[in-house]
Amino acid sequence: MSDDETPQDGEVQKDAESQLDQRASRARAERARLARIFGDVLPEATSDDRVDDSSRSTEWFERERPPHHI
């Protein structure tokens, strides 16, 4: 505690940290509850987030384009 800090300031800061911890804990519990009910519906990283140049090249799109789109 610094010289200009009163004991009340420390208590307020601890209370704020406690509230943040409680919110984080509730958020984790809610995510876990939803995962139990629905499974892992949304992965942390989607295919759009991943860098994989080999998966869909321009050549692949050219080969897969329907004839009416030429």
Side-chain angles (χ1 to χ4, degrees):
M1 196 176 336
S2 67
D3 294 337
D4 60 340
E5 190 176 292
T6 65
Q8 290 177 341
D9 292 338
E11 291 174 16
V12 170
Q13 185 176 2
K14 287 179 185 177
D15 188 43
E17 290 172 359
S18 175
Q19 288 178 356
L20 288 175
D21 289 342
Q22 288 174 356
R23 281 190 212 137
S25 179
R26 275 189 243 125
R28 281 192 301 274
E30 181 67 11
R31 284 192 302 273
R33 184 180 74 82
L34 291 173
R36 280 193 309 275
I37 295 169
F38 297 108
D40 188 15
V41 177
L42 298 175
E44 291 295 321
T46 63
S47 60
D48 292 344
D49 297 330
R50 298 183 196 115
V51 177
D52 186 10
D53 295 333
S54 64
S55 66
R56 297 279 195 256
S57 66
T58 304
E59 295 169 1
W60 182 89
F61 284 108
E62 293 292 327
R63 284 194 314 267
E64 298 298 319
R65 184 176 7 172
H68 61 279
H69 282 275
I70 294 181

